[in-house]
Amino acid sequence: MGDIPRLLIIAGLILVVIGLAWPLIGKLGLGRLPGDIAIEREGFSFYFPITTMLLLSGVLTLLFWIFRK
């Protein structure tokens, strides 16, 4: 049971870092990559960042793999 509070603190810190880095991430163009689905109609907009999610998933997987060893 001692690992859960530590995990929650680490997850919270990661979210804070991502929140603080969000303006920088926006300047890099992350979130509007080719392959991201954006549909805009009158009174309706839909955005599904599939390419961005795949890229972030790959980067996070690589980071977790590196730090696990």
Side-chain angles (χ1 to χ4, degrees):
M1 194 74 158
D3 290 337
I4 292 175
R6 189 177 81 182
L7 179 66
L8 289 174
I9 291 171
I10 291 171
L13 290 173
I14 290 171
L15 287 174
V16 167
V17 169
I18 290 172
L20 292 173
W22 197 256
L24 176 64
I25 292 170
K27 289 180 183 179
L28 294 174
L30 196 60
R32 291 289 180 181
L33 297 174
D36 289 346
I37 299 170
I39 300 171
E40 295 182 15
R41 307 235 192 271
E42 185 179 324
F44 175 78
S45 64
F46 176 76
Y47 180 67
F48 187 67
I50 192 161
T51 305
T52 301
M53 289 189 304
L54 289 172
L55 179 67
L56 287 177
S57 176
V59 169
L60 288 174
T61 300
L62 181 64
L63 287 174
F64 286 134
W65 180 76
I66 289 171
F67 287 117
R68 186 171 208 185
K69 296 198 176 229

